[in-house]
Amino acid sequence: TQLLEQSPQFLSIQEGENLTVYCNSSSVFSSLQWYRQEPGEGPVLLVTVVTGGEVKKLKRLTFQFGDARKDSSLHITAAQPGDTGLYLCAGPTTYNFNKFYFGSGTKLNVKP
Amino acid sequence: DTAVSQTPKYLVTQMGNDKSIKCEQNLGHDTMYWYKQDSKKFLKIMFSYNNKELIINETVPNRFSPKSPDKAHLNLHINSLELGDSAVYFCASSQHGHPNYGYTFGSGTRLTVV
């Protein structure tokens, strides 16, 4: 069992559709980050959310941190083929600031 | 100007061999990591060094030995390679005390043990 569980594991949608990816834990996190990983590359940081209830927007991507800082969501509006990749949430818990836990990942495929 | 570079990109070797992966970062970060990504894409921390000092050492077989000659370099040596060691190994760096700035990852080393 992973400390951070993501759902869904796989998502295949048509261009233009909306989608939401969830990242859940029973532990409280100091902050949560979202990364996107493309094939053959390392994960790249998209955003960091720090405060409970915080919402951040990055163009068509909206990130939210749960009020209790145990969960986060990533919503993509009007998905495009360029959004295809593996999305990972990650962060340090409040009891170990130095150790990052990564989520189980959501593999997104956006078909043209 | 690659921020975190690791070599080689691909490594195919036979069981029982010893191999090394090298990592260098030019971001001025003081903390470096090795992560293992399995076939299910799960990223698991192996080691972390802060200013050349080992600060995280997860449950990893003794056959894996990291070495950090300076804070810009972190190498991983693997002895007596086994089939189960096949995975993608990622090096990453960050600035200690600033976790919100996130990690910068290298592009990975795909290790295949045959």
Side-chain angles (χ1 to χ4, degrees):
Chain A
T1 306
Q2 317 300 350
L3 195 64
L4 282 167
E5 293 284 349
Q6 288 184 235
S7 61
Q9 256 189 304
F10 301 96
L11 197 50
S12 184
I13 60 172
Q14 291 293 139
E15 182 176 0
E17 291 182 16
N18 301 333
L19 66 116
T20 302
V21 176
Y22 299 93
C23 173
N24 294 293
S25 179
S26 56
S27 298
V28 179
F29 281 75
S30 302
S31 62
L32 269 180
Q33 300 179 347
W34 285 91
Y35 292 79
R36 179 168 64 216
Q37 183 180 9
E38 298 185 12
E41 297 297 327
V44 175
L45 179 67
L46 296 174
V47 79
T48 302
V49 284
V50 180
T51 309
E54 182 177 3
V55 176
K56 277 192 175 177
K57 290 194 174 185
L58 189 67
K59 296 182 182 177
R60 294 175 294 100
L61 279 60
T62 302
F63 305 85
Q64 184 159 7
F65 202 9
D67 290 340
R69 290 186 290 137
K70 292 183 177 182
D71 56 270
S72 180
S73 64
L74 157 61
H75 182 78
I76 302 179
T77 304
Q80 297 177 2
D83 296 326
T84 293
L86 177 70
Y87 288 82
L88 296 158
C89 62
T93 60
T94 52
Y95 52 83
N96 190 339
F97 199 60
N98 291 318
K99 188 173 175 182
F100 259 55
Y101 292 91
F102 275 83
S104 42
T106 295
K107 196 165 184 181
L108 171 66
N109 180 34
V110 182
K111 294 174 282 189
Chain B
D1 286 350
T2 305
V4 179
S5 60
Q6 50 184 113
T7 55
K9 176 81 173 171
Y10 300 96
L11 189 51
V12 181
T13 187
Q14 289 188 325
M15 278 175 54
N17 283 351
D18 303 339
K19 290 293 178 187
S20 292
I21 308 172
K22 295 187 175 183
C23 180
E24 175 182 4
Q25 56 96 2
N26 63 5
L27 296 166
H29 288 165
D30 60 2
T31 306
M32 295 184 73
Y33 312 82
W34 278 111
Y35 276 84
K36 180 179 181 181
Q37 188 170 46
D38 60 25
S39 57
K40 293 185 178 180
K41 303 299 182 184
F42 180 61
L43 269 169
K44 188 171 180 183
I45 181 79
M46 299 174 69
F47 302 103
S48 173
Y49 271 77
N50 174 251
N51 279 321
K52 302 193 297 176
E53 183 182 339
L54 184 65
I55 58 172
I56 293 176
N57 184 356
E58 291 296 286
T59 308
V60 176
N62 291 338
R63 299 180 294 103
F64 290 79
S65 53
K67 191 166 283 188
S68 182
D70 55 63
K71 69 175 189 177
H73 296 83
L74 179 62
N75 304 322
L76 183 65
H77 188 75
I78 316 169
N79 288 328
S80 304
L81 278 154
E82 300 177 358
L83 292 176
D85 297 332
S86 296
V88 182
Y89 292 84
F90 285 99
C91 176
S93 71
S94 71
Q95 189 61 27
H96 188 67
H98 296 276
N100 295 345
Y101 293 170
Y103 288 13
T104 302
F105 283 86
S107 56
T109 295
R110 180 174 292 277
L111 171 65
T112 304
V113 183
V114 297

